[in-house]
């Protein structure tokens, strides 16, 4: 009896469990069939939110990269502007060096000119003294061979005339040399230095303006390549302008130097011609009373 009850109880549990399982399965089926559209919408919404979040993160990364890129570009622009400032200092230093070298060449030329002048003056003075000694020998010989008082008086007159002629020629030569050297100094030394300083001051101002313009353009955000191209053009123009000014001034001073030199040589020639004419006339006068003059000269 007890075994039959146990068997009946087990069968009851089996049936009840099966009914519960079936009900659970049916309930799940109803839920699946009845609310499927709602679950799909939630999944779509969830995926949409996730996609939006991914897009936001991606856009944030893009924005960060752009900000970083702009920051790097800004820093590069700042360094570029600082480079222009350094270049400005370097250019100005180079201008001072070149100007100093140019003025140094002028100074060296002055020293060479002074040495040449001293040598010229020394050589000329030696020739003057030699000429004086030669004239003295002639005077002494004329007097030693003079036979009459008239001849002696003629020799004394001749000597005075010759010394006057020689002194006049020396004075004229000295004046011509002084004027020529003054003209040379004014053209090659004083005026040249003044003009060179003016030219380099103009050149320096052009360089300053070019670099300051480039710096302002750089600070304004203009492309570096455009700034560099314009700066090269401006600097090249400034150098060409300086070269042209120096070249033109050199041509002008060369012409003026030639004019001064021709005037000097003309004055020397005139002094020598006057001296030669005077000597010829003095000798003619001496010959009128001193026939032996030809033998002495």
């Amino acid at each position: 009896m007890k075994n039959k009850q146990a068997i009946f109880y087990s069968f009851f549990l089996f049936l009840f469990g099966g009914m519960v399982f079936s009900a659970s399965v049916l309930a799940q089926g109803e839920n699946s069939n009845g609310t499927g559209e709602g679950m799909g919408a939630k999944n779509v919404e969830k995926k949409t939110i996730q996609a939006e979040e991914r897009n936001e993160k991606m856009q944030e990364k893009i924005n960060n990269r752009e900000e970083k890129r702009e920051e790097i570009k800004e820093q590069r622009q700042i360094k570029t502007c600082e480079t222009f400032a350094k270049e400005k200092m370097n250019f100005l230093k180079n201008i001072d060096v070149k100007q100093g070298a140019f003025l140094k060449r002028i100074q060296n030329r002055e020293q060479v000119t002074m040495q040449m002048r001293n040598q010229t003056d020394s050589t000329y003075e030696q020739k003057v003294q030699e000429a004086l000694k030669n004239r003295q020998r002639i005077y002494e010989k004329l007097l030693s061979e003079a036979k009459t008082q008239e001849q002696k008086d003629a020799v004394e007159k001749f000597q005075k005339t010759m010394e006057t002629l020689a002194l006049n020629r020396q004075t004229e030569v000295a004046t011509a040399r002084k004027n020529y050297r003054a003209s040379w100094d004014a053209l090659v030394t004083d005026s040249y230095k003044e003009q060179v300083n003016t030219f380099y001051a103009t050149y320096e101002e052009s360089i300053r303006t070019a670099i300051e313009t480039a710096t302002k353009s750089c600070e304004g955000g203009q492309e570096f390549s455009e700034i560099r191209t314009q700066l090269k053009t401006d600097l090249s123009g400034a150098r060409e302008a300086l070269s042209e000014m120096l070249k033109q001034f050199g041509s002008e001073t060369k012409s003026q130097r030639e004019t001064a030199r021709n005037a000097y040589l003309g004055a020397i020639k005139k002094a020598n011609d006057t001296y030669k004419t005077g000597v010829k006339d003095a000798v003619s006068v001496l010959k009128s009373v001193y026939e032996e003059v030809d033998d002495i000269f």
Side-chain angles (χ1 to χ4, degrees), residues 12 22 29 37 44 48 88 99 165 168 225 257-258 270 272:
F12 176 76
S22 299
E37 294 180 359
V44 172
T48 302
K88 176 181 177 180
Q99 182 177 1
L165 289 172
N168 289 341
S225 58
R257 291 198 305 270
E258 289 178 352
K270 180 181 178 182
N272 288 332

Side-chain angles (χ1 to χ4, degrees), residues 142-269:
L142 287 172
L143 287 174
S144 64
E145 295 186 10
K147 298 177 180 180
T148 63
Q149 187 61 40
E150 183 182 13
Q151 289 180 338
K152 293 180 180 180
D153 293 341
V155 170
E156 291 180 358
K157 183 178 180 180
F158 174 73
Q159 181 176 354
K160 290 180 180 179
T161 302
M162 288 292 297
E163 292 307 308
T164 300
L165 289 172
L167 181 60
N168 289 341
R169 184 173 68 169
Q170 293 175 29
T171 301
E172 291 175 4
V173 169
T175 300
R177 185 184 296 120
K178 180 180 178 181
N179 293 338
Y180 174 58
R181 290 176 177 177
S183 298
W184 176 274
D185 291 340
L187 292 171
V188 178
T189 304
D190 302 331
S191 177
Y192 209 93
K193 284 182 179 179
E194 182 179 351
Q195 287 298 321
V196 166
N197 288 330
T198 300
F199 294 156
Y200 271 96
T202 302
Y203 175 58
E204 181 177 339
E205 184 61 27
S206 299
I207 295 297
R208 286 181 183 274
T209 301
I211 298 180
E212 288 173 0
T213 300
T215 303
K216 290 180 180 179
S217 298
C218 179
E219 294 172 350
Q222 187 176 350
E223 288 294 331
F224 175 75
S225 58
E226 297 177 359
I227 300 174
R228 174 62 69 181
T229 299
Q230 184 60 48
L231 180 60
K232 285 184 177 180
T233 300
D234 293 341
L235 294 179
S236 178
R239 285 191 292 268
E240 289 176 0
L242 173 63
S243 177
E244 183 62 27
M245 285 188 293
L246 291 173
K247 181 179 179 181
Q248 182 176 356
F249 182 67
S251 297
E252 293 175 356
T253 54
K254 181 179 180 181
S255 177
Q256 293 171 343
R257 291 198 305 270
E258 289 178 352
T259 299
R261 179 172 177 76
N262 291 335
Y264 166 69
L265 295 177
I268 297 299
K269 184 177 184 304

Side-chain angles (χ1 to χ4, degrees), residues 8-259:
F8 176 77
Y9 182 70
S10 298
F11 180 73
F12 176 76
L13 291 174
F14 174 76
L15 290 176
F16 180 76
M19 291 173 66
V20 172
F21 176 78
S22 299
S24 176
V25 172
L26 289 172
Q28 289 180 0
E30 289 178 357
N31 289 334
S32 177
N33 294 330
T35 61
E37 294 180 359
M39 290 298 293
K42 288 182 179 180
N43 290 334
V44 172
E45 182 179 358
K46 183 178 180 180
K47 291 181 178 179
T48 302
I49 292 173
Q50 290 175 347
E52 290 177 353
E53 289 177 351
R54 286 196 300 270
N55 290 336
E56 289 178 359
K57 290 181 180 179
M58 182 63 70
Q59 187 61 44
E60 184 178 357
K61 289 181 180 179
I62 293 174
N63 292 339
N64 289 337
R65 282 198 298 267
E66 289 295 329
E67 289 178 0
K68 189 66 176 179
R69 188 179 293 111
E70 288 297 324
E71 182 179 352
I72 293 174
K73 183 178 180 180
E74 183 178 352
Q75 291 298 326
R76 186 179 299 163
Q77 196 78 2
I78 292 174
K79 289 183 178 180
T80 300
C81 296
E82 292 176 352
T83 299
F84 284 131
K86 291 179 181 179
E87 286 186 353
K88 176 181 177 180
M89 296 302 299
N90 291 334
F91 269 109
L92 295 180
K93 287 180 181 178
N94 289 336
I95 291 174
D96 291 338
V97 170
K98 290 181 179 180
Q99 182 177 1
F102 203 100
L103 294 175
K104 182 65 176 179
R105 288 199 297 272
I106 295 177
Q107 183 178 358
N108 291 339
R109 185 164 57 188
E110 289 177 9
Q111 294 177 352
V112 172
T113 299
M114 290 302 300
Q115 292 175 357
M116 292 178 64
R117 288 178 180 179
N118 292 335
Q119 184 177 357
T120 298
D121 292 345
S122 177
T123 301
Y124 180 75
E125 184 61 27
Q126 289 178 3
K127 290 182 177 181
V128 168
Q129 294 302 320
E130 289 175 0
L132 176 60
K133 290 179 180 179
N134 290 333
R135 292 197 304 274
Q136 290 295 338
R137 284 196 292 270
I138 292 174
Y139 303 150
E140 291 173 1
K141 190 172 184 179
L142 287 172
L143 287 174
S144 64
E145 295 186 10
K147 298 177 180 180
T148 63
Q149 187 61 40
E150 183 182 13
Q151 289 180 338
K152 293 180 180 180
D153 293 341
V155 170
E156 291 180 358
K157 183 178 180 180
F158 174 73
Q159 181 176 354
K160 290 180 180 179
T161 302
M162 288 292 297
E163 292 307 308
T164 300
L165 289 172
L167 181 60
N168 289 341
R169 184 173 68 169
Q170 293 175 29
T171 301
E172 291 175 4
V173 169
T175 300
R177 185 184 296 120
K178 180 180 178 181
N179 293 338
Y180 174 58
R181 290 176 177 177
S183 298
W184 176 274
D185 291 340
L187 292 171
V188 178
T189 304
D190 302 331
S191 177
Y192 209 93
K193 284 182 179 179
E194 182 179 351
Q195 287 298 321
V196 166
N197 288 330
T198 300
F199 294 156
Y200 271 96
T202 302
Y203 175 58
E204 181 177 339
E205 184 61 27
S206 299
I207 295 297
R208 286 181 183 274
T209 301
I211 298 180
E212 288 173 0
T213 300
T215 303
K216 290 180 180 179
S217 298
C218 179
E219 294 172 350
Q222 187 176 350
E223 288 294 331
F224 175 75
S225 58
E226 297 177 359
I227 300 174
R228 174 62 69 181
T229 299
Q230 184 60 48
L231 180 60
K232 285 184 177 180
T233 300
D234 293 341
L235 294 179
S236 178
R239 285 191 292 268
E240 289 176 0
L242 173 63
S243 177
E244 183 62 27
M245 285 188 293
L246 291 173
K247 181 179 179 181
Q248 182 176 356
F249 182 67
S251 297
E252 293 175 356
T253 54
K254 181 179 180 181
S255 177
Q256 293 171 343
R257 291 198 305 270
E258 289 178 352
T259 299

